[in-house]
């Protein structure tokens, strides 16, 4: 169950690089998973993807620069 939840959270992380907690305070899901849930990361077979967080962040930053990221997030928000 934990591995499936982690896989779903990781899928969301690929869409949205950070979770804004308040103002400029953010939570990076990938860093949190590596630091606090390493056993569950192994169980969910996400270790290889988490090792490449820097590359993922660069890709996400490029999406932000393209300008479509805000619209994409608006369409994903919960109603």
């Amino acid at each position: 169950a934990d591995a499936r939840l982690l896989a779903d959270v990781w899928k969301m992380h690929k869409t949205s690089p950070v979770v804004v907690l308040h103002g400029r305070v953010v939570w990076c899901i990938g860093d949190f998973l590596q630091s606090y849930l390493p056993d569950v990361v192994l169980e969910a077979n996400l270790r290889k993807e988490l090792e490449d967080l820097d590359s993922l962040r660069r890709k996400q930053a490029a999406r932000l620069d393209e300008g479509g990221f805000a619209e994409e997030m608006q369409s994903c928000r919960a109603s």
Side-chain angles (χ1 to χ4, degrees):
D2 289 340
R4 184 177 174 111
L5 175 63
L6 183 64
D8 289 342
V9 168
W10 182 248
K11 192 183 309 181
M12 289 186 310
H13 175 71
K14 286 183 168 184
T15 302
S16 178
V18 295
V19 175
V20 177
L21 299 176
H22 179 72
R24 295 179 61 124
V25 179
V26 297
W27 174 52
C28 179
I29 296 168
D31 291 331
F32 176 84
L33 296 176
Q34 278 186 315
S35 297
Y36 297 103
L37 299 171
D39 294 337
V40 180
V41 166
L42 286 174
E43 186 181 334
N45 296 320
L46 291 176
R47 182 174 263 325
K48 185 172 183 167
E49 290 188 64
L50 283 170
E51 288 175 354
D52 203 22
L53 277 178
D54 290 338
S55 173
L56 180 60
R57 286 187 184 123
R58 281 191 293 278
K59 289 177 187 175
Q60 290 167 335
R63 283 180 43 224
L64 285 170
D65 289 344
E66 291 170 1
F69 184 78
E71 291 83 16
E72 184 180 333
M73 290 299 100
Q74 288 292 327
S75 69
C76 293
R77 78 175 189 210
S79 52

